[in-house]
Amino acid sequence: MIGHVTVWELRHTTLADSVLEPMLTQLAHEYFTRYGDATEIHRYPADEFARPHGALLVLLEHGRAVAGGAFRRYDTTTAEVKRMWTHADHRRRGLGKRILAELEAEAVARGYRRVYLTTGWRQPEAAALYESAGYTPLPSHVDEASGVRLLPFEKALA
């Protein structure tokens, strides 16, 4: 019997890449299911996640998107992580942590010294991921645009 070989590819991409369609569709569904609104998915222009200040990474397994995430410039020394996602069929495999580590490495390469991010209060699994990856929780606050209580985190980069 021949064993199953997983073929992984980590791709730097843009929001225009069609491989991201499952990611964006599932993210919108998650936001709508948890908060009754999915407008957050369109909150930032695509160029904020592009070079030189941003990045968008997708992890492909056999050519299909299974995890992804992005960052944008928050300020001159801080990258803000956004759009963290793992396909529902691939959760609990460490893929989110892998994407987060890749985003952090990319942020360091771009000269950032800190990462900031927020997650919504109805996403405890995301909060657990960030804490397990060494992020420090900050005081929660309500986002003025959405009315959602956000749980912010930060991490100093090496």
Side-chain angles (χ1 to χ4, degrees):
M1 179 179 193
I2 298 174
H4 174 74
V5 176
T6 300
V7 179
W8 297 99
E9 176 191 353
L10 182 68
R11 182 187 296 179
H12 289 255
T13 190
T14 68
L15 284 172
D17 190 339
S18 63
V19 78
L20 295 177
E21 186 177 330
M23 174 180 157
L24 298 174
T25 299
Q26 280 192 3
L27 267 174
H29 177 75
E30 288 275 338
Y31 292 159
F32 186 79
T33 300
R34 294 178 192 228
Y35 303 104
D37 183 22
T39 56
E40 166 62 23
I41 200 81
H42 304 291
R43 188 174 198 173
Y44 303 101
D47 64 346
E48 290 196 27
F49 301 111
R51 293 181 187 271
H53 303 298
L56 195 156
L57 302 177
V58 63
L59 183 62
L60 304 170
E61 181 181 47
H62 299 288
R64 298 183 69 192
V66 295
F71 69 77
R72 60 190 280 276
R73 175 176 273 198
Y74 186 76
D75 62 34
T76 58
T77 61
T78 307
E80 180 181 19
V81 170
K82 303 296 286 179
R83 310 296 176 257
M84 286 293 297
W85 167 82
T86 301
H87 189 286
D89 294 341
H90 296 276
R91 292 184 180 160
R92 313 236 7 112
R93 294 176 55 192
L95 302 180
K97 196 174 259 189
R98 179 176 175 182
I99 289 292
L100 195 55
E102 294 285 351
L103 288 170
E104 290 170 4
E106 186 68 24
V108 167
R110 305 268 182 99
Y112 293 112
R113 297 191 309 262
R114 175 179 169 257
V115 175
Y116 173 81
L117 60 84
T118 60
T119 190
W121 66 281
R122 291 186 174 169
Q123 294 171 268
E125 65 282 0
L129 166 67
Y130 302 135
E131 287 193 56
S132 74
Y135 283 73
T136 302
L138 300 170
S140 69
H141 64 276
V142 174
D143 178 64
E144 292 179 23
S146 67
V148 172
R149 186 166 55 97
L150 297 177
L151 307 174
F153 293 83
E154 70 177 352
K155 182 177 183 180
L157 298 173

